[in-house]
């Protein structure tokens, strides 16, 4: 179990920063896992997928996992910038994740997710690559990561588009957001283990919106940094 603190934009494209504190945790029962706030609570950080997961395949560095996770959507109250736009409904997303470790320290991943309740969440996809360097045998490490994600028209319109009704209420110009790339993100993470029971991490990242996500009138800042830290206790 653990606690994660992150400071970054209130939502993608926001000019307002927000600090969030969320619980982290990890439980495994055979091929099934429950993970909160990422998988930093595991010693080797291999169980990264938040939510309820089922491992479908593990073979020669290849891993396939299916997850269900809660998506809290977006509230109009999150920021004055969203006034008149209404809220994006919370939903549950199914996410299929393929992760490959071609050699120690390297990991390549691809994932696709969809709104299983058929609300406004639509479908998204992402691709990742990371490199980890183990500094000591006790679990101290540094990692660099790069990720790019995209979404279908339904998801892009929900998060970055402005319908005629929303334009009338909010004063934003109408905007029809098309399917395509959404954001590219780079990150650096340092992990420190305090014996077998305690672990911590600090991270810094930069995100840059792409294509219609960057062109949206809702986007006040296309490029934004973020920082985070977490502390975990294992038992």
């Amino acid at each position: 179990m653990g606690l994660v603190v992150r400071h970054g934009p209130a939502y993608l494209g926001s000019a307002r920063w927000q600090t969030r504190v969320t619980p982290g945790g990890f439980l495994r029962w055979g091929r099934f896992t429950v993970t909160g706030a990422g998988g930093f609570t595991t010693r080797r950080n291999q169980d990264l997928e938040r939510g309820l997961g089922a491992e479908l395949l593990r073979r020669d560095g290849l891993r396939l996992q299916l997850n269900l996770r809660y998506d809290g959507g977006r509230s109009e109250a999150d920021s004055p910038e969203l006034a008149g736009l209404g809220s994006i409904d919370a939903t549950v997303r199914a996410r299929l994740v393929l992760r490959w470790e071609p050699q120690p320290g390297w990991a390549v991943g691809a994932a696709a997710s969809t709104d299983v309740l058929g609300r406004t969440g639509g479908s998204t996809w992402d691709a990742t690559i990371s490199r980890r360097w183990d500094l000591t045998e006790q679990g101290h490490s540094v990692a660099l990561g790069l990720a790019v994600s995209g979404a279908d028209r339904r998801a892009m319109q929900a998060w970055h588009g402005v319908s005629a009704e929303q334009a009338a209420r909010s004063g934003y110009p109408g905007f029809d957001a098309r399917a395509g790339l959404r954001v590219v993100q780079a990150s650096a993470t340092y992990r420190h283990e305090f014996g077998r029971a305690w672990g911590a991490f600090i991270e810094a990242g930069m995100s840059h919106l792409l294509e219609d996500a960057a062109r949206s009138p809702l986007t006040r800042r296309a490029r934004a940094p973020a920082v985070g830290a977490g502390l975990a206790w294992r038992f």
Side-chain angles (χ1 to χ4, degrees):
M1 59 182 297
L3 199 66
V4 179
V5 181
R6 288 193 169 93
H7 186 59
Y11 61 92
L12 281 177
S14 175
R16 297 181 68 251
W17 281 45
Q18 186 177 76
T19 300
R20 296 184 178 90
V21 180
T22 53
F26 174 80
L27 294 172
R28 176 186 288 277
W29 183 52
R31 289 180 173 269
F32 298 95
T33 58
V34 179
T35 310
F40 85 98
T41 45
T42 63
R43 181 170 293 273
R44 296 194 62 243
N45 207 30
Q46 289 182 321
D47 299 284
L48 292 172
E49 293 302 314
R50 176 171 52 87
L52 175 64
E55 189 174 82
L56 306 179
L57 173 70
R58 183 189 287 270
R59 182 181 302 164
D60 299 328
L62 193 66
R63 180 184 176 200
L64 183 65
Q65 186 173 3
L66 179 64
N67 284 78
L68 290 176
R69 63 168 60 175
Y70 174 74
D71 181 344
R74 186 182 69 194
S75 171
E76 184 177 357
D78 287 347
S79 170
E81 301 166 343
L82 302 175
L85 295 174
S87 298
I88 299 174
D89 293 336
T91 190
V92 175
R93 304 190 69 87
R95 180 173 165 87
L96 187 65
V97 185
L98 181 65
R99 178 182 171 90
W100 178 44
E101 297 182 0
Q103 56 181 306
W106 285 96
V108 180
S113 80
T114 192
D115 177 355
V116 296
L117 300 184
R119 297 177 178 173
T120 56
S123 298
T124 65
W125 59 266
D126 58 80
T128 61
I129 184 170
S130 65
R131 176 69 166 96
R132 186 191 73 248
W133 291 269
D134 293 324
L135 305 180
T136 69
E137 294 181 357
Q138 288 72 36
H140 302 179
S141 65
V142 172
L144 299 177
L146 185 67
V148 62
S149 66
D152 66 3
R153 185 184 181 281
R154 187 178 182 88
M156 289 291 289
Q157 183 64 22
W159 288 91
H160 305 287
V162 181
S163 68
E165 182 181 350
Q166 289 174 318
R169 293 198 310 258
S170 67
Y172 284 110
F175 185 73
D176 185 18
R178 299 163 297 180
L181 296 175
R182 189 181 185 194
V183 62
V184 60
Q185 297 171 304
S187 64
T189 305
Y190 170 70
R191 291 168 58 89
H192 186 88
E193 301 296 328
F194 303 93
R196 296 185 60 84
W198 291 91
F201 82 93
I202 56 174
E203 66 179 9
M206 178 70 72
S207 64
H208 183 76
L209 296 183
L210 304 169
E211 296 185 354
D212 277 6
R215 290 188 285 265
S216 169
L218 305 182
T219 296
R220 303 296 183 87
R221 179 185 292 171
R223 182 180 301 149
V227 294
L231 180 66
W233 175 57
R234 306 183 184 97
F235 58 91

